[in-house]
Amino acid sequence: MLGTTVTLAFRAIMRHKLRSFLTTLGIIIGVAAVITMTTLGNGATAAVREQISSLGANILQLRPGQGFGRGGGGPRPPDFKPEDVTAIAQQITGVRAVAPQAQSSGQAIYEGNNWNTTVNGTTASYFEAQQWALESGRLFMPEEEEAGKPVCIIGGTLRRNLFRQEDPVGKRFRIKGVSCQVIGLLATRGQGGFGQDQDDVVVMPIKFVQRRFTGNRDIGLIMVAVDDAYETATVQASLEDLMRERRRIKPGDADNFNVFDTKQISDTLTGTTTILTQIVGAVAAISLLVGGIGIMNIMLVSVTERTREIGIRLAIGAVANEVLLQFLVEAVVLSCLGGLIGMFLALIASIAIAPLMQVPFIFDWQINLLAVVFSAAIGVIFGYFPARRAASLNPIDALRHE
Amino acid sequence: MANDPIIRLRGVTKTYGSGPTAFQALKGVDLEIERGDFVAVMGPSGSGKSTTMNILGCLDVPTSGEFRFHGHHVERLDRDQRALLRRKYLGFVFQGFNLLSRTTALENVELPLLYRGEDRQTRHASGLAALDKVGLKPWWDHTPAELSGGQQQRVAIARAIVTNPDVLLADEPTGNLDSERSIEIMELLTDLNRNSGITVLMVTHEADMAAFARTIVHFKDGLVESIEKGARS
């Protein structure tokens, strides 16, 4: 019986092709919008998570100042000193690696090529903390770090712009007017979590950078990699206690440094994209609701228009529920068709738009299934009232209806 | 039992509305119709003939009195039970044909079989057989718009007889047709009555058409005025 009803519904829908199409347009647009937005949103979240995970897992970043900036008025909070790094390494348990960073920037020159790049003064622990491997060459020797020798490890972007096709390892080039020897080449990392090119860098021993470029012993950033066996939060707490003590901050006073957990940044950013996805999805869901009202409207028109047909069906022996089912199935078939067409459009739109937004296309079968089930539900909900009206018609009056 | 009338009305009244505006359409109708009869119901408008037909067609229930059809007390049945009675035993032919538009003749004829849950092949075979009986088999794939009035009424008759009903109710079946087509339709009904054993109940106001019937029932003021034997009895 249900199979016959579905056949009948298809016949009725096909009898008014244009009207049926226009009716389902609301559902089509609604479903397409919900799925496209969610798919792209999921892609964006995945992209952000991917980029942030390139910062390295379980890494705490220690910076002077409050919040993300260096803080408002008042005296500028002091940078860290090499002694702070030693203290962290020796006094805090659960630390896998500690790497100080002193940054500078300047022009690199090799033969006819020159390129402006970032100079990152650090230690070999930096690569360990970030789990950043070398493509070729070697890391700094302890004695090179100790003496601040002019040796460097360069990133892929610098290598490409400075050395072109040549193998850079063993070559010498000038950075900010100082000659240095390339001992290693970093594996390519690509874009960082905030859009910067992580491969446009030259890494040198921190003592060399401090002596020749910054002219002080200041350390702008300390990177602390937490051992997997320890809780990041515990390590973060003891790190904060240690730094308050070393920077002589009185109890009750605010910190003049801060500790970022990269995972926390990751969670915050993906949380933001998730909320955005949900908001846009909700707006799109409203258009689904409007589409449902459109279906109810046209079904009511259809019931009035087909009053005589309903009368005929009742006269030849259709029971009320069969008439109800017929109109209900018609509404559900309409809305399901809309859902399927919308799903198909969303698929095309997502595949087309994802590359433009530079996010991966991730097919989420759950949201697709949900959207189709939801549109079927809309058919049932908004089709029920018109169907009830059809089923409750009096056959005599219905047959007389002009 | 076999000689029991298929239809028996006893003191049937029908009142529309209530209170001072109430209108009594039937004032106590007694009527018996034998199996296999061909009955024409006549009377001026407002005489109660349409109300009687609606009750006989199980589309409406009497306000009081008794209507026995096939042994059922129809006045005690609910809407859906009456629908099932119609599905099983009754066929309808209307003045306005009442075919589904944009639907082929065959699909129209198959419609009652859908509600009987017949499968596709059975529907097809029975539908074509019914169309053949009314002489429209070659027109099976035409929609009502592509058929003449007489042809449309014959499709409607095919739809009414496709389920092999016991009783065929025809409400002014020739009302919209010219006299030549009308006679064709009447001959078709007579043939179905004689050769297929279908009891035919027909409302008409044309004496020429009533003359095809075996029994003519005259209604007046909500009562049966007289019962006479028709020209072809």
Side-chain angles (χ1 to χ4, degrees), chain A residues 365-386:
Chain A
W365 64 268
Q366 278 177 312
I367 191 73
N368 280 274
L369 186 72
L370 190 74
V372 172
V373 169
F374 192 67
S375 46
I378 277 181
V380 173
I381 293 164
F382 290 98
Y384 184 75
F385 174 63

Side-chain angles (χ1 to χ4, degrees), chain B residues 35-56:
Chain B
R35 196 179 281 272
D37 204 351
F38 187 155
V39 181
V41 177
M42 299 192 73
S45 56
S47 62
K49 61 183 193 301
S50 291
T51 305
T52 307
M53 283 298 270
N54 286 339
I55 290 172
L56 293 179

Side-chain angles (χ1 to χ4, degrees), chain B residues 92-224:
Chain B
F92 287 89
V93 176
F94 308 96
Q95 178 176 2
F97 318 141
N98 277 338
L99 299 174
L100 299 188
S101 58
R102 305 200 204 190
T103 306
T104 66
L106 184 60
E107 282 169 352
N108 265 294
V109 174
E110 283 181 4
L111 199 59
L113 300 173
L114 271 179
Y115 290 107
R116 289 192 163 200
E118 305 284 5
D119 64 48
R120 217 182 149 81
Q121 276 92 1
T122 315
R123 290 203 310 261
H124 233 69
S126 309
L128 282 175
L131 278 174
D132 197 25
K133 259 188 196 170
V134 300
L136 281 181
K137 198 174 175 184
W139 279 269
W140 69 271
D141 61 343
H142 288 235
T143 62
E146 298 162 353
L147 297 170
S148 71
Q151 287 173 322
Q152 286 187 51
Q153 193 60 301
R154 281 195 275 162
V155 172
I157 291 170
R159 180 181 64 192
I161 61 169
V162 73
T163 57
N164 295 316
D166 287 348
V167 179
L168 181 70
L169 291 123
D171 189 1
E172 305 249 17
T174 60
N176 286 6
L177 301 175
D178 61 42
S179 53
E180 208 175 316
R181 299 308 134 214
S182 297
I183 288 165
E184 280 175 25
I185 293 296
M186 291 316 299
E187 281 172 347
L188 181 56
L189 290 179
T190 309
D191 175 60
L192 289 170
N193 173 250
R194 293 228 172 118
N195 302 323
S196 303
I198 299 175
T199 308
V200 178
L201 294 180
M202 174 182 74
V203 170
T204 184
H205 59 268
E206 292 168 88
D208 300 357
M209 301 304 136
F212 282 86
R214 233 176 273 178
T215 307
I216 301 173
V217 180
H218 291 274
F219 270 78
K220 197 180 178 188
D221 295 333
L223 288 167
V224 176

Side-chain angles (χ1 to χ4, degrees), chain A residues 191-251:
Chain A
Q191 228 174 48
F194 308 98
Q196 80 279 23
D197 181 359
Q198 299 185 94
D199 299 321
D200 187 7
V201 70
V202 46
V203 186
M204 306 184 76
I206 188 164
K207 283 197 171 161
F208 178 84
V209 173
Q210 287 171 335
R211 193 173 66 231
R212 300 301 297 263
F213 300 152
T214 63
N216 54 37
R217 299 173 69 235
D218 289 352
I219 293 166
L221 169 70
I222 299 176
M223 205 174 260
V224 180
V226 178
D227 195 309
D228 285 344
Y230 292 82
E231 283 286 328
T232 311
T234 317
V235 176
Q236 180 172 351
S238 39
L239 190 59
E240 279 165 359
D241 289 344
L242 176 69
M243 291 318 291
R244 281 181 75 88
E245 189 189 307
R246 291 189 60 82
R247 289 164 85 88
R248 299 183 209 289
I249 299 166
K250 293 193 201 88

